[in-house]
Amino acid sequence: MTYTPHGKHLIAGEWVGSDDTFTSQPVTGDAVTYASGGAAEVDRAVTAAENAFTTYGWTTREDRAAFLNTIADEIDARGDDITRLGCAETGLPEARLQGERGRTTGQLRMFADHIRKGDYLDRRHDAALPDRAPLPRPDLKMVQRPIGPVAVFGASNFPLAFSTAGGDTAAALAAGCPVVVKGHPAHPATGEIVADAIHAAIQKCGMPAGTFSLIQGTSHNLGGALVKHPLMQAVGFTGSLGAGRALYDLCAARPTPIPFYGELGSINPVFVMPAALSARGADLGTAWAGSLTMGVGQFCTNPGVVVAQAGDDLESFAQAATDALSGAGEAVMLSEGIADAYRKGVAQVAAANGVQELVAATCDRRNASPAVYRVSAEDWLANDNLAEEVFGPLGIIVSASGPDQMLDIARHLHGQLTATLQMDDADTEAAKPFVPVLERKAGRLLVNGFPTGVEVADAMVHSGPYPASTNFGATSVGTLAIRRFTRPVCYQNMPDALLPVDL
């Protein structure tokens, strides 16, 4: 049976409306009116989450693993409807939505397998030494425990993998934390149907109704109410630097500050070393163009800046990229707001001192085409605006005098999600000084690839120093993501009957 959105919030197991509403802006199909939540809905959902935590936080890892797998099953059961609704709302192609659904269910199942193993608990035991002199040692046991209710903000660019049942939600649920999601208004129908899948899994697995809630809305006050609620214990966020920093500041200003795990922005620089540029500059230019325009440039790992040595080889790179992008045409962006921000970003770069336009962008309402510019290293270093993320298919080629100036650019970078070295064997010695610099600048270092896309795997790190993220000691992708929503607790001389089951 085809799923028809009803436009309500899911709060503590019930679909409920609100007095305030907003209307969706799909690329195709009819707009739908959705309830728009506020402080009252937040209080009801977070209170229910706190009540659920007294049970859900003490479930076994096996029960939570079964719950995560059931969520994945329920999402797959709604797969055709999810693809239909997601394509209509975002303009993304069917293959992209189907692939993203597989990634979403895959990370749910990966977290289920991971918590079954128990490695994330970091269990430690110092046995009692009653005869130790001069003082005896008590029995000490340590384990990672869930922290309580977690707020998750759905992302605009990933309606599935970073939204309602995405990585933050999956990690928090795996840890034993109830979740309240603020759905992204760019894809409310997709958020609603995924919430319906989670709701079905809660009922099938007998979990408390407050284990998960979805609140829809467009108001900044909704997000503020969610992070300021006194029962909320942590926040997961993927979005713009401006919005993320505002929420981060609210979390820090609370009477009891809470951690804000925000992924905010990155230009993901690519450093092309001289031998690689000489041997395959044109091929690299074409490949960069493909990565830059993937998903209309709306990936947080989009490689927005290329740094290379000036000369004929860089001209070959730039010409190949220009040729590949000149005929790219327009594509639909995820929302009118994102398209408007792209227009403004293009205008700011184009007006910067020393910038030369290679490919001119067009952006008519939600349709956008790529833009590419070239600038000298001196002008790039003199203008911090050129180091800011433009969310969309905009690229900047920075020409440097040689590896030493390229390294100077690396030293001046802000925090990044990724940094890439394109190199051949002959570049090894020249590349060595870049590694200790770049590993302090980025959460993931690549060689001979492009960073667009993030593998869902144990070893993946998707974070970086600010402004790439607000906590570079964590990651929002990979099994280490679970640790964000736990904290270590030590139990001293505790009887076995009172210990958590994991001890």
Side-chain angles (χ1 to χ4, degrees):
M1 184 176 180
T2 301
Y3 185 91
T4 301
H6 49 65
K8 296 180 179 180
H9 315 291
L10 175 64
I11 299 179
E14 298 181 4
W15 293 102
V16 298
S18 298
D19 292 336
D20 294 333
T21 61
F22 70 98
T23 303
S24 65
Q25 297 178 330
V27 177
T28 60
D30 296 331
V32 177
T33 298
Y34 289 86
S36 185
E41 288 79 11
V42 166
D43 182 63
R44 180 178 172 187
V46 180
T47 300
E50 175 67 20
N51 292 335
F53 182 57
T54 61
T55 299
Y56 187 71
W58 277 259
T59 52
T60 66
R61 288 178 283 120
E62 181 58 42
D63 285 344
R64 292 200 304 280
F67 177 44
L68 294 173
N69 281 323
T70 303
I71 294 173
D73 292 342
E74 293 293 333
I75 289 173
D76 280 340
R78 293 159 176 77
D80 290 344
D81 282 335
I82 289 172
T83 299
R84 172 178 56 83
L85 293 170
C87 290
E89 289 187 311
T90 66
L92 293 171
E94 286 189 7
R96 159 68 192 276
L97 266 298
Q98 290 166 351
E100 191 179 332
R101 175 165 54 87
R103 170 182 170 150
T104 304
T105 56
Q107 64 190 0
L108 284 161
R109 294 186 171 108
M110 181 181 73
F111 285 149
D113 290 342
H114 186 72
I115 62 173
R116 280 192 173 110
K117 298 172 186 174
D119 294 344
Y120 78 101
L121 295 169
D122 194 17
R123 288 173 284 202
R124 305 182 187 200
H125 182 202
D126 294 306
L129 298 175
D131 299 325
R132 188 183 68 176
L135 294 173
R137 184 177 75 186
D139 184 80
L140 301 170
K141 294 186 176 75
M142 189 275 281
V143 69
Q144 297 287 335
R145 293 290 297 148
I147 60 174
V150 171
V152 171
F153 286 72
S156 62
N157 59 334
F158 280 90
L160 298 173
F162 280 90
S163 290
T164 308
D168 289 340
T169 297
L173 292 175
C177 299
V179 174
V180 179
V181 170
K182 178 194 176 294
H184 198 285
H187 41 76
T190 311
E192 180 188 300
I193 190 173
V194 174
D196 185 71
I198 299 174
H199 178 49
I202 286 173
Q203 293 177 314
K204 285 187 175 182
C205 295
M207 295 299 177
T211 300
F212 174 86
S213 292
L214 170 73
I215 305 175
Q216 306 268 32
T218 59
S219 167
H220 293 307
N221 292 333
L222 170 58
L226 194 55
V227 303
K228 291 191 293 185
H229 196 286
L231 295 176
M232 190 56 67
Q233 298 300 307
V235 178
F237 174 88
T238 299
S240 70
L241 175 59
R245 182 56 197 248
L247 293 171
Y248 173 82
D249 289 344
L250 287 177
C251 288
R254 288 169 39 125
T256 302
I258 59 174
F260 179 84
Y261 297 109
E263 189 260 280
L264 307 183
S266 181
I267 59 173
N268 305 295
V270 178
F271 294 85
V272 185
M273 304 307 291
L277 187 64
S278 176
R280 46 196 174 96
D283 290 342
L284 287 172
T286 301
W288 176 59
S291 183
L292 186 72
T293 54
M294 189 181 298
V296 203
Q298 298 165 114
F299 287 102
C300 45
T301 53
N302 198 42
V305 172
V306 167
V307 183
Q309 181 173 308
D312 291 343
D313 296 331
L314 182 55
E315 294 304 314
S316 296
F317 177 99
Q319 187 61 56
T322 299
D323 291 344
L325 295 171
S326 294
E330 294 184 338
V332 178
M333 300 197 83
L334 290 161
S335 72
E336 292 183 9
I338 290 173
D340 185 56
Y342 177 65
R343 275 190 292 271
K344 293 176 181 176
V346 168
Q348 178 171 280
V349 171
N353 185 55
V355 167
Q356 175 192 357
E357 182 179 84
L358 299 182
V359 179
T362 60
C363 191
D364 178 23
R365 299 192 66 179
R366 284 178 72 166
N367 297 311
S369 68
V372 177
Y373 300 91
R374 179 162 54 190
V375 68
S376 70
E378 290 81 6
D379 286 329
W380 193 87
L381 287 167
N383 188 345
D384 275 347
N385 290 333
L386 295 177
E388 294 180 2
E389 179 187 42
V390 176
F391 197 61
L394 181 145
I396 300 175
I397 299 172
V398 182
S399 59
S401 59
D404 287 345
Q405 193 171 44
M406 292 168 62
L407 187 59
D408 192 38
I409 290 173
R411 293 190 182 101
H412 282 81
L413 287 169
H414 302 302
Q416 306 294 327
L417 293 171
T418 73
T420 300
L421 289 170
Q422 291 286 351
M423 56 176 288
D424 286 353
D425 289 344
D427 291 312
T428 300
E429 289 304 313
K432 281 183 178 179
F434 283 80
V435 176
V437 173
L438 294 178
E439 72 176 11
R440 295 182 64 192
K441 300 290 184 177
R444 176 163 56 112
L445 273 59
L446 299 82
V447 170
N448 291 342
F450 288 97
T452 310
V454 181
E455 183 71 26
V456 178
D458 281 323
M460 177 54 63
V461 172
H462 189 59
S463 69
Y466 186 86
S469 67
T470 54
N471 191 315
F472 61 85
T475 175
S476 61
V477 180
T479 50
L480 186 61
I482 298 172
R483 287 288 295 272
R484 295 174 298 165
F485 307 118
T486 64
R487 65 181 183 88
V489 178
C490 176
Y491 299 87
Q492 181 170 323
N493 290 336
M494 187 73 70
D496 287 349
L498 299 182
L499 287 171
V501 65
D502 288 318
L503 286 176

